[in-house]
Amino acid sequence: MSLFDLSFKELERQLHNKEITVEDLVDTSYKRIKEVDDDVHAFLSLNEEQAREQARELDKAGHDGRAKLYGIPAGIKDNIAIKGQPLTCASQFLRNFNDPLYNATVVNKLNAEQSVTVGKLNLDEFAMGSSNENSSFVPTRNPWDLDRVPGGSSGGSAAAVAAGEVLFALGSDTGGSIRQPASFCGVVGMKPTYGRVSRFGLVAFASSLDHIGPITRTVADNARVLEVIAGHDRMDSTSADVDVPEYSNLTGDMTGMKIAVPKEYLAEGVSEEVKNTILDALKVYESLGATWEEVSLPHSKYAVAAYYLLSSSEASANLARFDGVRYGVRSENAENMIDMFKLSRSEGFGDEVKRRIMLGTFALSSGYYDAYYKKAQKVRTLIKQDFDKVLEEYDVIIGPTAPTTAFKIGEKIEDPLTMYANDILTIPVNLAGNPALSVPAGFSEAGLPIGLQIIGRPFAEATVYEAAYAYEQETKHYLKKPHLGGGAS
Amino acid sequence: MANITRDQVMHVAHLARLAVTEEEADAFANDLDAIINYAEQLNELDTEGVEPTTHVLDLKNIMRDDKAEKWAHRDDALTNAPDKQGGQFKVPSILE
């Protein structure tokens, strides 16, 4: 039994009573990283010296009885700024960007609750991708099967938690980038309501769709991290001024809970194994006192098209800041300013990032704006209305997180549209802004994790956590762990 | 229907400040053509009278006092610069 099998609550008790030390926890983290990360490649950089120093200081000071994440080792997706640590976004453009000027607000909030950041986690370049194969450094591999992708774009975050390298990770989710890797890696991933968590210090991809959220082994731990990072931030004018409840105060009471199951989420394209797993989960909910009915989210099939137009358009504007003037790489081959922009960007960005910048620039260009960008914004309204309507009558919407289990490395990378289709069940929720979580729901015949997605009303994260917790406590899929590094079990 | 030409790609690449070779332009034309064709399915939907959604929060302009605050020191802001001189970012010539 590893210390990393314990809940945050139990660890807090043991730390508080000095049965274990923060140094023990941080040491467990680095030992495990050394044991497995040459295979998994979840981390892009480590912060070992500082983290060990911080651990000694925390041990010296002791737990004050209040700090919610005292001594808990964490990994942060490498598109979130930490002062003094590299910030690469897994892009060659930022390969030398080693000293961001400030901490992201979520990092300041974690520091205030005394977690320990052990390093920065791999991702698809600028969070654009669903497999981590778009990392310009090295692809992360799925701890359950090293020939398979961990999902993306927060693949490093999900893999690090699944492999037991950290106790929690922060990821970002623009079209499913927290939930889909959580599903593929058998961990819990939460995309909170749009505006629930400040994005200050998150490198922007698509500002109307970007979210930060936690990835953990269990629901209760996840709720505790969100409790810490949520809340209004004057540094992010899109953060919502809505009170943060105590999410981790969970009962698991499902009595009277009304569940909607969209028929579009169990339709063609969703594998039989995934579908049957979700139907089994609904039986569990029935046994817990909840009821479910089939509903329709009729505009679901248009979500992927609308999403790629909108997210790429926003990305083309957001990534204009990477010009080679103030930070990042600058091409040596330019003689004038415009060439410097063009060559620096072309040498620094990978294929998928360029493809999306091109698509977005096209969709926003004169003559096409109304036909593509504005049309997609209108379809977004219809998709949001679908969710609003169903959630007037039901407490949560439940379905799969991803249509399949983790696919093989190399299987989908050649065809952008095949890759995009993988996010068909997560993308609609980003367009609508509702909170949604993926919780482990069991395993395929091949032993690969399957995720259950729970979608709630705006700012009703507490309800989503309750539904996830009730199911998790009944099924306890989190107890099964990948065999890695000499057979952790 | 989309049928994106090499010239269109070169024009968009210039707007996006990307240097693209002719070979790359042909590859982009293929990719963009496929994605735009896929996106044409949005035209199946009648969106007459539907308001566009730019973002989902019910927020209007967020105001704050117009007051200077302490932020990064100039030297800090220059630490990651590819090239600098005299406390400023240095760039190649702008005018020919």
Side-chain angles (χ1 to χ4, degrees):
Chain A
M1 175 121 169
S2 155
L3 284 176
F4 281 16
D5 294 332
L6 301 173
S7 69
F8 291 4
K9 212 171 174 177
E10 174 60 18
L11 288 169
E12 182 180 279
R13 192 191 65 75
Q14 295 194 9
L15 286 163
H16 191 81
N17 297 335
K18 299 201 183 293
E19 294 165 34
I20 57 168
T21 64
V22 177
E23 275 199 90
D24 293 337
L25 286 179
V26 170
D27 197 49
T28 303
S29 185
Y30 284 114
K31 272 195 179 137
R32 185 67 178 158
I33 290 169
K34 266 147 217 168
E35 195 176 46
V36 301
D37 213 57
D38 281 345
D39 291 329
V40 177
H41 296 297
F43 280 90
L44 289 179
S45 59
L46 297 175
N47 178 42
E48 185 160 357
E49 210 172 299
Q50 258 179 295
R52 287 189 185 275
E53 174 62 30
Q54 194 191 347
R56 283 190 289 273
E57 279 167 23
L58 287 173
D59 280 328
K60 214 163 123 192
H63 184 229
D64 62 6
R66 283 197 307 271
K68 285 181 178 178
L69 297 169
Y70 174 75
I72 304 286
I76 307 294
K77 186 176 182 179
D78 202 17
N79 60 351
I80 295 173
I82 305 180
K83 192 169 167 43
Q85 291 189 40
L87 176 60
T88 69
C89 297
S91 178
Q92 292 300 319
F93 195 99
L94 293 173
R95 63 175 182 261
N96 61 1
F97 188 35
N98 291 322
D99 198 5
L101 298 184
Y102 52 86
N103 283 335
T105 295
V106 288
V107 170
N108 284 333
K109 286 182 169 235
L110 292 181
N111 288 344
E113 301 296 330
Q114 301 184 335
S115 69
V116 180
T117 300
V118 301
K120 302 292 294 285
L121 294 160
N122 207 352
L123 64 154
D124 287 295
E125 184 178 1
F126 288 107
M128 296 176 187
S130 314
S131 68
N132 259 49
E133 290 164 289
N134 294 335
S135 167
S136 80
F137 299 114
V138 58
T140 302
R141 289 167 181 268
N142 192 314
W144 294 89
D145 178 350
L146 294 172
D147 291 333
R148 291 179 187 271
V149 304
S153 65
S154 309
S157 301
V161 173
E165 296 173 84
V166 286
L167 280 164
F168 76 90
L170 293 188
S172 66
D173 190 318
T174 304
S177 283
I178 289 173
R179 289 159 288 155
Q180 183 254 22
S183 172
F184 281 10
C185 292
V187 292
V188 180
M190 171 60 126
K191 178 202 88 66
T193 311
Y194 184 78
R196 178 74 291 186
V197 175
S198 165
R199 286 100 48 87
F200 180 71
L202 169 71
V203 177
F205 160 13
S207 303
S208 82
L209 301 156
D210 291 341
H211 305 66
I212 294 176
I215 296 180
T216 55
R217 206 166 53 90
T218 67
V219 175
D221 293 349
N222 200 288
R224 188 183 279 228
V225 180
L226 184 63
E227 211 168 282
V228 168
I229 62 172
H232 180 251
D233 175 19
R234 55 186 288 277
M235 301 303 281
D236 176 1
S237 59
T238 60
S239 80
D241 200 357
V242 177
D243 285 342
V244 181
E246 253 185 72
Y247 297 124
S248 58
N249 195 1
L250 294 160
T251 66
D253 185 8
M254 284 292 98
T255 320
M257 169 91 66
K258 289 177 75 180
I259 298 170
V261 180
K263 62 177 187 206
E264 293 82 3
Y265 284 32
L266 295 173
E268 204 185 330
V270 177
S271 81
E272 280 301 304
E273 273 185 314
V274 169
K275 193 172 158 179
N276 291 332
T277 301
I278 302 311
L279 294 173
D280 285 346
L282 292 169
K283 285 183 200 141
V284 173
Y285 276 110
E286 279 177 356
S287 75
L288 293 169
T291 56
W292 69 272
E293 284 177 311
E294 191 178 277
V295 300
S296 177
L297 298 170
H299 297 97
S300 296
K301 71 178 239 200
Y302 300 103
V304 173
Y307 171 82
Y308 276 94
L309 290 172
L310 294 174
S311 65
S312 300
S313 296
E314 292 186 30
S316 73
N318 273 326
L319 271 65
R321 63 171 57 94
F322 300 105
D323 54 12
V325 174
R326 293 149 299 161
Y327 45 75
V329 297
R330 178 184 295 185
S331 172
E332 301 286 334
N333 307 318
E335 285 176 11
N336 63 47
M337 184 88 154
I338 296 284
D339 276 355
M340 183 196 79
F341 294 151
K342 287 186 175 176
L343 293 171
S344 301
R345 290 162 65 77
S346 296
E347 291 167 21
F349 291 150
D351 287 347
E352 182 62 21
V353 173
K354 286 181 193 165
R355 194 180 288 129
R356 297 205 199 188
I357 290 174
M358 291 288 288
L359 174 64
T361 307
F362 175 79
L364 292 175
S365 65
S366 166
Y368 298 98
Y369 180 90
D370 283 342
Y372 296 110
Y373 183 69
K374 203 161 184 190
K375 180 79 185 181
Q377 285 186 318
K378 290 181 172 187
V379 174
R380 183 176 187 178
T381 304
L382 298 175
I383 289 166
K384 180 164 169 39
Q385 286 169 352
D386 283 355
F387 281 99
D388 290 347
K389 201 170 152 208
V390 166
L391 287 166
E392 264 173 36
E393 266 187 73
Y394 298 88
D395 298 300
V396 290
I397 295 170
I398 281 181
T401 307
T404 64
T405 54
F407 45 89
K408 288 227 159 111
I409 291 173
E411 194 179 321
K412 299 193 179 184
I413 195 72
E414 293 304 326
D415 180 11
L417 284 172
T418 311
M419 187 68 93
Y420 298 171
N422 187 64
D423 297 329
I424 190 160
L425 305 172
T426 46
I427 277 175
V429 196
N430 292 73
L431 293 168
N434 296 49
L437 166 149
S438 182
V439 61
F443 298 85
S444 69
E445 230 168 80
L448 297 168
I450 295 169
L452 177 82
Q453 184 173 214
I454 306 171
I455 304 162
R457 297 181 186 131
F459 297 101
E461 282 84 359
T463 311
V464 173
Y465 278 130
E466 282 293 0
Y469 181 71
Y471 174 77
E472 175 198 66
Q473 289 306 301
E474 193 63 21
T475 54
K476 296 200 188 292
H477 294 300
Y478 66 88
L479 292 177
K480 191 170 168 186
K481 293 196 291 180
H483 294 273
L484 254 186
S489 59
Chain B
M1 291 306 280
N3 202 346
I4 293 169
T5 62
R6 183 193 283 177
D7 283 351
Q8 261 178 309
V9 168
M10 296 306 263
H11 172 64
V12 170
H14 172 69
L15 293 176
R17 297 293 184 263
L18 289 171
V20 170
T21 64
E22 292 200 340
E23 249 173 47
E24 288 170 323
D26 289 342
F28 275 128
N30 277 333
D31 285 350
L32 292 186
D33 215 43
I35 298 170
I36 292 293
N37 268 322
Y38 175 75
E40 298 284 350
Q41 65 171 301
L42 297 183
N43 291 323
E44 293 168 16
L45 291 171
D46 179 6
T47 51
E48 188 69 40
V50 176
E51 284 294 315
T53 295
T54 50
H55 71 109
V56 295
L57 284 177
D58 189 23
L59 290 174
K60 292 273 163 354
N61 295 330
I62 307 296
M63 311 297 270
R64 63 169 173 78
D65 292 338
D66 184 16
K67 227 169 59 187
E69 284 180 39
K70 241 186 140 148
W71 193 237
H73 187 272
R74 186 173 68 178
D75 293 342
D76 295 333
L78 286 164
T79 43
N80 295 294
D83 200 2
K84 57 193 163 187
Q85 189 182 316
Q88 298 181 63
F89 297 108
K90 190 179 173 189
V91 294
S93 69
I94 295 170
L95 301 171
E96 295 293 318

